[in-house]
């Protein structure tokens, strides 16, 4: 397997058959070597910096019904909340005080936030704080809506494709269209956003063949960011009794993505930290270079319950900031509080 990993490291590419061979034969030695090469690549491009994003989970209302997700429409046990524009700006203010220069506004697909409301929120953040980036993660919208948010100042957009296997996608997303999800990613890129795609690891019936499809899709799409994390069951969903994804598999995929897309911004996600106390640190060592600590008010934190056992739900933003900084340092990296744009857009 070392030969294939070297080929991937040198050329940043492998055929689908080669990727599958690698995934099917990942012994301990190959894994170590893969993580080492991914870390080397990340150090070469982004040094030892880890970019920090302040995450604001501003609504847990959602019109969709994804079978894995705790805030799905049919979950009558979810305690729903929405943050006002003022509350969102307060989160940004606290974030700014703590040094954050990127705010990620994430939420369910909630029609309460009309285009005008999102435009107002985005433009108010951009007007209130100097040199900050705003990332939106609010699901599938029309080209026109995406354009309005962009014109209001939104810089980046996260929309995980969730899985590139159409069959698996359809089985998990009642009333949603795989084609539309992919179209949204292309629309966002055309408009000029820094875009983030991504997928879950360990979904029921997901195979290495599916991961190869995810990887080749990402290679073709060339997103600026890729968010991947383990699937974790949530007790009030149809997938409550399924097994969670693993740190091991997630780290293998993080390393493969780092080598296929060397310049990509790659978070070590909260989900990874939730299945293992040292999950995020392991993710960083496997090639990740972003973390997204929570800036949401503690009063609503535990209500954004996408999955069971989510970490950091009781901690104030300042505690999260300190905790993650220590973890990053202990893992051998340095916190970087700048906007942390994709390398191709830095110093422009
Ligand atoms: N509504 C927006 C969207 O669809 O992109 C953003 C919010 S959505 C809740 C954010 C991400 O959470 C999803 O893209 C999905 O990958 C992840 N997620 C949802 N349920 C999960 C679970 N049970 N385990 C792990 N990740 C989950
Ligand atoms: Fe809201 Fe999936 S349940 S987007």
């Amino acid at each position: 397997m070392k030969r294939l990993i070297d080929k991937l490291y040198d050329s940043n590419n492998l055929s689908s058959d080669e990727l599958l061979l690698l995934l099917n034969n990942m012994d301990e030695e190959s894994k170590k070597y893969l993580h080492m090469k991914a870390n080397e690549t990340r150090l070469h491009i982004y040094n030892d910096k880890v970019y920090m994003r302040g995450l604001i989970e501003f609504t847990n209302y959602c019109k969709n019904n994804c079978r894995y997700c705790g805030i799905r429409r049919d979950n009558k046990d979810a305690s729903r909340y929405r943050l006002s524009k003022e509350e969102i700006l307060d989160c940004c203010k606290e974030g700014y005080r703590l040094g954050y220069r990127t705010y990620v506004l994430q939420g369910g697909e909630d029609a309460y936030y009309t285009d005008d409301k999102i435009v107002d929120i985005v433009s108010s953040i951009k007007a209130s704080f100097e040199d900050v980036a705003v990332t939106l993660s609010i699901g599938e919208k029309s080209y026109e809506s995406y354009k309005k948010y962009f014109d209001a100042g939104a810089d980046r957009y996260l929309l995980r494709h969730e899985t590139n296997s159409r069959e698996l996608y359809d089985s998990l997303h009642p009333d949603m269209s795989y084609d539309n999800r992919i179209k949204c990613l292309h629309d966002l890129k055309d408009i000029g956003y820094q875009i983030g795609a991504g997928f879950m690891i360990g979904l029921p019936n997901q195979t290495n063949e599916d991961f190869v499809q995810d990887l080749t899709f990402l290679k073709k799409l060339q997103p600026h960011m890729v968010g991947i994390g383990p699937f974790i069951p949530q007790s009030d969903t149809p997938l409550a009794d399924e097994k969670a994804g693993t740190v091991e598999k997630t780290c293998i995929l993080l390393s493969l993505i780092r080598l296929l897309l060397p310049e990509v911004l790659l978070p070590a996600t909260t989900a990874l930290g939730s299945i293992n106390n040292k999950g995020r640190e392991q993710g960083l060592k496997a090639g990740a270079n972003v973390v997204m600590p929570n800036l949401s008010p503690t009063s609503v934190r535990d209500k954004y319950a996408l999955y069971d056992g989510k970490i950091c739900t009781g901690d104030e933003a300042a505690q999260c900031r300190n905790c993650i900084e220590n973890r990053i340092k202990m893992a051998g990296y340095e916190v970087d509080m700048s906007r942390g744009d994709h390398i191709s857009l830095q110093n422009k």
Side-chain angles (χ1 to χ4, degrees), residues 62-66 68-69 71-73 108-109 173 176:
C62 192
K63 74 173 173 60
N64 294 329
N65 224 358
C66 307
Y68 45 79
C69 185
I71 64 169
R72 66 200 300 269
R73 176 182 77 220
E109 289 198 22
H173 302 98
M176 289 173 80

Side-chain angles (χ1 to χ4, degrees), residues 123-336:
S123 50
S124 301
I125 295 174
K126 297 292 278 206
S128 307
F129 306 99
E130 218 173 294
D131 197 29
V132 298
V134 172
T135 305
L136 291 175
S137 179
I138 52 175
E140 297 176 30
K141 307 275 177 184
S142 67
Y143 184 97
E144 292 69 31
S145 298
Y146 286 149
K147 180 82 170 74
K148 283 185 199 163
Y149 313 153
F150 185 76
D151 291 342
D155 304 271
R156 311 179 187 141
Y157 204 104
L158 303 177
L159 186 76
R160 289 184 176 183
H161 63 280
E162 312 295 3
T163 170
N164 197 245
S165 154
R166 185 184 288 271
E167 209 179 314
L168 187 57
Y169 187 93
D170 288 347
S171 73
L172 293 168
H173 302 98
D175 320 322
M176 289 173 80
S177 146
Y178 164 86
D179 288 329
N180 192 57
R181 194 123 187 127
I182 304 301
K183 175 186 179 297
C184 285
L185 282 165
H186 288 291
D187 285 350
L188 289 160
K189 202 169 189 202
D190 281 356
I191 291 168
Y193 284 95
Q194 294 178 58
I195 63 160
F199 57 94
M200 272 175 287
I201 289 126
L203 291 163
N205 304 317
Q206 195 176 27
T207 62
N208 280 343
E209 281 79 1
D210 294 329
F211 292 130
V212 169
Q213 267 183 246
D214 286 312
L215 295 172
T216 49
F217 167 73
L218 289 172
K219 181 74 187 166
K220 207 160 143 211
L221 179 67
Q222 293 280 322
H224 306 82
M225 306 168 280
V226 173
I228 68 165
F231 154 72
I232 307 176
Q234 206 276 359
S235 44
D236 303 317
T237 63
L239 303 188
D241 297 327
E242 299 291 343
K243 276 210 310 248
T246 63
V247 174
E248 185 192 5
K249 192 74 170 194
T250 306
C251 287
I252 291 170
L253 286 154
L254 281 170
S255 292
L256 291 174
I257 293 167
R258 170 61 63 208
L259 292 171
L260 284 166
L261 299 166
E263 298 186 343
V264 83
L265 293 160
L266 195 58
T269 56
T270 307
L272 189 56
S274 297
I275 52 168
N276 183 304
N277 181 35
K278 288 275 185 299
R280 282 174 299 181
E281 288 87 329
Q282 289 186 43
L284 292 175
K285 290 178 185 172
N289 67 331
V290 173
V291 289
M292 297 167 65
N294 208 315
L295 282 182
S296 313
T298 39
S299 55
V300 301
R301 288 266 185 99
D302 57 344
K303 298 187 177 136
Y304 200 79
L306 309 181
Y307 47 80
D308 292 339
K310 193 171 166 205
I311 49 169
C312 311
T313 51
D315 300 342
E316 293 293 342
Q319 283 171 283
C320 282
R321 166 78 181 76
N322 289 340
C323 163
I324 199 72
E325 175 155 8
N326 286 335
R327 285 170 177 271
I328 289 168
K329 284 191 172 148
M330 290 295 286
Y333 301 94
E334 275 304 316
V335 167
D336 186 311

Side-chain angles (χ1 to χ4, degrees), residues 56 83 86-96 295-297:
I56 303 168
L83 298 186
E86 288 66 35
E87 288 171 313
I88 295 171
L89 282 167
D90 281 347
C91 295
C92 297
K93 196 168 163 194
E94 173 66 355
Y96 199 87
L295 282 182
S296 313

